[in-house]
Amino acid sequence: MPTPIGKLLVDALASAGLSQHAFCRAVGYNQGSLQGVIKGQRHPPRGSEEEWVKALGLKGDAKHEFLVSYWLDHAPEQLAAEIDRLRAAANRTTR
């Protein structure tokens, strides 16, 4: 099942009109490893987030959301869960 970064990555690839193969060529990443990131079986590589954002053409809120999810994918599980809880609480109060 895709993780938050996996889902954002799939959506960003579709929005950018990029295949996984084309994206991997652009950022120098293995396609099998990318599929592992999408499926939640591995983490995206540390230190490559800006290169990925650029290749995906992300800007503004989409860029911010992608970066936060990218970083959270490397965070300890308890921290990521707490941030998810806080986001959900914030969403409830802004509706």
Side-chain angles (χ1 to χ4, degrees):
M1 174 155 82
T3 58
I5 188 62
K7 173 143 180 32
L8 287 173
L9 187 52
V10 168
D11 293 347
L13 286 167
S15 294
L18 286 172
S19 66
Q20 289 182 16
H21 179 74
F23 174 75
C24 287
R25 251 192 357 249
V27 299
Y29 197 60
N30 178 283
Q31 190 172 351
S33 296
L34 180 69
Q35 291 171 358
V37 172
I38 290 169
K39 293 176 184 176
Q41 297 168 341
R42 64 183 308 134
H43 299 291
R46 290 184 189 267
S48 297
E49 58 270 32
E50 289 294 339
E51 185 178 13
W52 284 32
V53 163
K54 183 178 178 184
L56 293 167
L58 297 173
K59 306 238 185 274
D61 289 343
K63 176 182 177 178
H64 177 76
E65 184 178 3
F66 184 85
L67 286 172
V68 169
S69 290
Y70 194 104
W71 298 325
L72 281 175
D73 198 68
H74 291 280
E77 191 174 316
Q78 297 87 345
L79 177 60
E82 180 61 13
I83 290 172
D84 287 343
R85 186 191 69 74
L86 292 169
R87 279 181 168 170
N91 286 338
R92 284 193 302 273
T93 61
T94 58
R95 288 184 196 177

PDB file of all heavy atoms in Angstrom, residues 17 19 51 53 62 67 85 88 90 95:
ATOM      1  N   GLY A  17       3.262  14.499 -16.157  1.00  0.00           N
ATOM      2  CA  GLY A  17       3.282  13.734 -17.397  1.00  0.00           C
ATOM      3  C   GLY A  17       4.549  12.910 -17.553  1.00  0.00           C
ATOM      4  O   GLY A  17       5.008  12.671 -18.669  1.00  0.00           O
ATOM      5  N   SER A  19       6.740   9.382 -16.859  1.00  0.00           N
ATOM      6  CA  SER A  19       6.717   7.960 -16.511  1.00  0.00           C
ATOM      7  C   SER A  19       7.725   7.751 -15.385  1.00  0.00           C
ATOM      8  O   SER A  19       8.606   8.589 -15.157  1.00  0.00           O
ATOM      9  CB  SER A  19       7.119   7.109 -17.718  1.00  0.00           C
ATOM     10  OG  SER A  19       8.477   7.344 -18.059  1.00  0.00           O
ATOM     11  N   GLU A  51      16.165  17.778  -5.751  1.00  0.00           N
ATOM     12  CA  GLU A  51      16.305  17.282  -7.121  1.00  0.00           C
ATOM     13  C   GLU A  51      15.000  16.632  -7.591  1.00  0.00           C
ATOM     14  O   GLU A  51      14.572  16.819  -8.732  1.00  0.00           O
ATOM     15  CB  GLU A  51      17.456  16.281  -7.188  1.00  0.00           C
ATOM     16  CG  GLU A  51      17.770  15.792  -8.577  1.00  0.00           C
ATOM     17  CD  GLU A  51      18.950  14.836  -8.603  1.00  0.00           C
ATOM     18  OE1 GLU A  51      19.387  14.351  -7.535  1.00  0.00           O
ATOM     19  OE2 GLU A  51      19.421  14.564  -9.717  1.00  0.00           O
ATOM     20  N   VAL A  53      11.966  17.333  -6.410  1.00  0.00           N
ATOM     21  CA  VAL A  53      10.986  18.416  -6.560  1.00  0.00           C
ATOM     22  C   VAL A  53      11.165  19.107  -7.909  1.00  0.00           C
ATOM     23  O   VAL A  53      10.192  19.383  -8.620  1.00  0.00           O
ATOM     24  CB  VAL A  53      11.115  19.424  -5.388  1.00  0.00           C
ATOM     25  CG1 VAL A  53      10.440  20.741  -5.701  1.00  0.00           C
ATOM     26  CG2 VAL A  53      10.538  18.823  -4.111  1.00  0.00           C
ATOM     27  N   ALA A  62       2.153  22.443  -3.295  1.00  0.00           N
ATOM     28  CA  ALA A  62       2.457  21.066  -3.703  1.00  0.00           C
ATOM     29  C   ALA A  62       3.906  20.716  -3.358  1.00  0.00           C
ATOM     30  O   ALA A  62       4.188  19.613  -2.881  1.00  0.00           O
ATOM     31  CB  ALA A  62       2.206  20.880  -5.195  1.00  0.00           C
ATOM     32  N   LEU A  67       7.719  17.902   0.172  1.00  0.00           N
ATOM     33  CA  LEU A  67       8.925  17.938   1.002  1.00  0.00           C
ATOM     34  C   LEU A  67       8.654  17.448   2.420  1.00  0.00           C
ATOM     35  O   LEU A  67       9.431  16.665   2.974  1.00  0.00           O
ATOM     36  CB  LEU A  67       9.521  19.344   1.030  1.00  0.00           C
ATOM     37  CG  LEU A  67      10.225  19.784  -0.246  1.00  0.00           C
ATOM     38  CD1 LEU A  67      10.600  21.263  -0.166  1.00  0.00           C
ATOM     39  CD2 LEU A  67      11.449  18.933  -0.524  1.00  0.00           C
ATOM     40  N   ARG A  85      -1.420  13.256  13.522  1.00  0.00           N
ATOM     41  CA  ARG A  85      -2.513  13.574  14.453  1.00  0.00           C
ATOM     42  C   ARG A  85      -2.748  15.073  14.505  1.00  0.00           C
ATOM     43  O   ARG A  85      -3.886  15.546  14.459  1.00  0.00           O
ATOM     44  CB  ARG A  85      -2.190  13.038  15.850  1.00  0.00           C
ATOM     45  CG  ARG A  85      -3.338  13.200  16.861  1.00  0.00           C
ATOM     46  CD  ARG A  85      -2.896  12.897  18.281  1.00  0.00           C
ATOM     47  NE  ARG A  85      -1.971  13.883  18.808  1.00  0.00           N
ATOM     48  CZ  ARG A  85      -2.309  15.128  19.196  1.00  0.00           C
ATOM     49  NH1 ARG A  85      -3.553  15.543  19.097  1.00  0.00           N
ATOM     50  NH2 ARG A  85      -1.404  15.954  19.692  1.00  0.00           N
ATOM     51  N   ALA A  88      -4.466  16.290  11.326  1.00  0.00           N
ATOM     52  CA  ALA A  88      -5.895  15.949  11.329  1.00  0.00           C
ATOM     53  C   ALA A  88      -6.664  16.897  12.238  1.00  0.00           C
ATOM     54  O   ALA A  88      -7.758  17.357  11.876  1.00  0.00           O
ATOM     55  CB  ALA A  88      -6.084  14.500  11.780  1.00  0.00           C
ATOM     56  N   ALA A  90      -5.820  19.974  13.005  1.00  0.00           N
ATOM     57  CA  ALA A  90      -5.841  21.278  12.346  1.00  0.00           C
ATOM     58  C   ALA A  90      -6.876  21.309  11.234  1.00  0.00           C
ATOM     59  O   ALA A  90      -7.586  22.307  11.053  1.00  0.00           O
ATOM     60  CB  ALA A  90      -4.461  21.609  11.800  1.00  0.00           C
ATOM     61  N   ARG A  95     -12.358  23.535   9.101  1.00  0.00           N
ATOM     62  CA  ARG A  95     -13.550  23.219   8.257  1.00  0.00           C
ATOM     63  C   ARG A  95     -14.726  24.020   8.677  1.00  0.00           C
ATOM     64  O   ARG A  95     -15.002  24.485   9.652  1.00  0.00           O
ATOM     65  CB  ARG A  95     -13.885  21.744   8.353  1.00  0.00           C
ATOM     66  CG  ARG A  95     -12.875  20.918   7.636  1.00  0.00           C
ATOM     67  CD  ARG A  95     -13.292  19.482   7.679  1.00  0.00           C
ATOM     68  NE  ARG A  95     -12.132  18.673   7.332  1.00  0.00           N
ATOM     69  CZ  ARG A  95     -12.119  17.388   7.333  1.00  0.00           C
ATOM     70  NH1 ARG A  95     -13.193  16.722   7.663  1.00  0.00           N
ATOM     71  NH2 ARG A  95     -11.067  16.714   7.010  1.00  0.00           N
TER      72      ARG A  95
END
